[in-house]
Amino acid sequence: MKMIEIEFDGHKFYRLLGEMGQFDEEEGADIKNGGYYIAGKSEKMFADVMVGMLKLHPEWNFADVGANWGIYSSLVAKRTEGQVWSFEPQPDNFKVLKKNAELFENMKCFQKGLGADNRIEKLYTRIGHGGYSMFFGPQKEYVEIEIIPLDSLKLDINMMKMDVEGYGNYVLQGAKQTLENLSLLLYEIHRFEDPSLDFLQDKEFRIFPIVRKTEGIDYIDGILAFDPKLEGEMRGIFRQMGVKSR
């Protein structure tokens, strides 16, 4: 796939041609909403919450798990005084991620997946879709990737985004120590009954679901899980975004 250069968040950004990712097809990467435009309800809310939180906590360190090309990584790296650690195991996406990281001295990339333990897994390509997951198989196209537990890196992470196509519970199982200091998790998830939600509630995180209604049915697109100490700040950010908090 061909790598092309576009503009995003006021700087050059690289992406793969023919994969829209978080960019809206009509709007492309037009500079909007204070400098960035990201399509999708959960994606846009994640970006707005990240930016809002970094205004209050500019020292925060950030982990981007399932970083893809580094859209959120670059969004945060530009605004934080802390460090950004980006994890992307898929080889084509990782090449783009590394290229985008060249703009930021505080951004480090890992060509690894995260999970409960050290192992090698098959990462499948969904034919006709372009997405990647350990759970698409069996498919003809796959790459073998290295999985490590996040706790093995002993990183001090304040905020984390996770988009791992159904593998989230395994990521969290390997991040129990890291979660002790985590203040905010932005997690793309699509099942209300996902076991990782119980895990986060057992850790006493407050859970805010991002719900979209289609033909009268509620679907979950993601969650914000945060330390109860942040509730006042989260409510303030929600008010600025015009979102009703529960």
Side-chain angles (χ1 to χ4, degrees):
M1 283 179 283
K2 182 180 179 182
M3 188 188 306
I4 62 171
E5 179 183 321
I6 60 173
E7 186 180 8
F8 173 69
D9 198 19
H11 57 77
K12 63 182 179 182
F13 187 87
Y14 295 91
R15 52 165 288 191
L16 293 177
L17 186 64
E19 291 193 12
M20 296 314 300
Q22 286 96 328
F23 294 125
D24 179 86
E25 188 169 0
E26 293 183 359
E27 298 294 348
D30 291 344
I31 307 307
K32 287 191 169 187
N33 302 317
Y36 58 90
Y37 181 91
I38 296 179
K41 184 173 182 178
S42 62
E43 289 91 345
K44 182 64 172 64
M45 181 172 285
F46 284 179
D48 288 345
V49 170
M50 289 175 187
V51 171
M53 269 299 172
L54 288 172
K55 291 178 181 178
L56 301 173
H57 301 280
E59 77 287 355
W60 270 9
N61 297 322
F62 175 66
D64 193 353
V65 184
N68 197 266
W69 309 324
I71 293 171
Y72 294 110
S73 294
S74 61
L75 193 75
V76 173
K78 181 178 178 179
R79 292 166 171 82
T80 185
E81 299 166 5
Q83 298 298 307
V84 173
W85 299 291
S86 307
F87 299 86
E88 176 52 55
Q90 205 283 331
D92 293 331
N93 287 340
F94 186 76
K95 290 177 184 178
V96 182
L97 175 66
K98 283 282 287 184
K99 185 71 173 175
N100 286 321
E102 292 175 1
L103 288 176
F104 305 101
E105 293 183 357
N106 60 341
M107 184 173 162
K108 183 176 181 179
C109 303
F110 299 82
Q111 192 176 353
K112 300 179 188 296
L114 297 180
D117 51 22
N118 293 289
R119 63 173 60 217
I120 301 298
E121 288 274 17
K122 290 180 179 179
L123 181 66
Y124 294 95
T125 301
R126 184 156 59 189
I127 306 302
H129 178 272
Y132 305 96
S133 173
M134 262 78 84
F135 300 113
F136 287 167
Q139 300 271 0
K140 292 182 180 179
E141 295 185 14
Y142 69 86
V143 292
E144 291 190 339
I145 62 171
E146 182 182 1
I147 301 289
I148 63 170
L150 182 57
D151 283 343
S152 67
L153 299 176
K154 301 187 184 304
L155 302 176
D156 182 14
I157 299 170
N158 308 105
M159 179 169 65
M160 184 164 79
K161 182 232 92 186
M162 194 161 66
D163 182 1
V164 290
E165 300 295 338
Y167 208 71
N169 196 47
Y170 299 100
V171 176
L172 295 176
Q173 293 297 328
K176 292 178 181 178
Q177 296 175 11
T178 304
L179 289 173
E180 296 299 322
N181 296 319
L182 189 71
S183 295
L184 174 61
L185 173 66
L186 308 102
Y187 180 15
E188 184 166 316
I189 187 174
H190 300 292
R191 294 190 299 135
F192 285 104
E193 67 277 14
D194 195 292
S196 56
L197 294 179
D198 293 331
F199 179 85
L200 290 168
Q201 289 175 330
D202 288 343
K203 289 285 185 180
E204 299 184 348
F205 280 89
R206 295 285 172 84
I207 306 294
F208 180 87
I210 302 170
V211 178
R212 110 185 110 80
K213 188 179 289 290
T214 302
E215 297 181 353
I217 301 174
D218 287 341
Y219 295 92
I220 187 168
D221 276 346
I223 64 164
L224 305 171
F226 54 91
D227 187 320
K229 295 178 182 178
L230 291 181
E231 184 160 1
E233 295 176 356
M234 289 295 294
R235 288 183 181 276
I237 291 172
F238 288 154
R239 282 195 297 270
Q240 293 174 13
M241 295 166 55
V243 174
K244 292 182 179 179
S245 59
R246 294 170 177 82

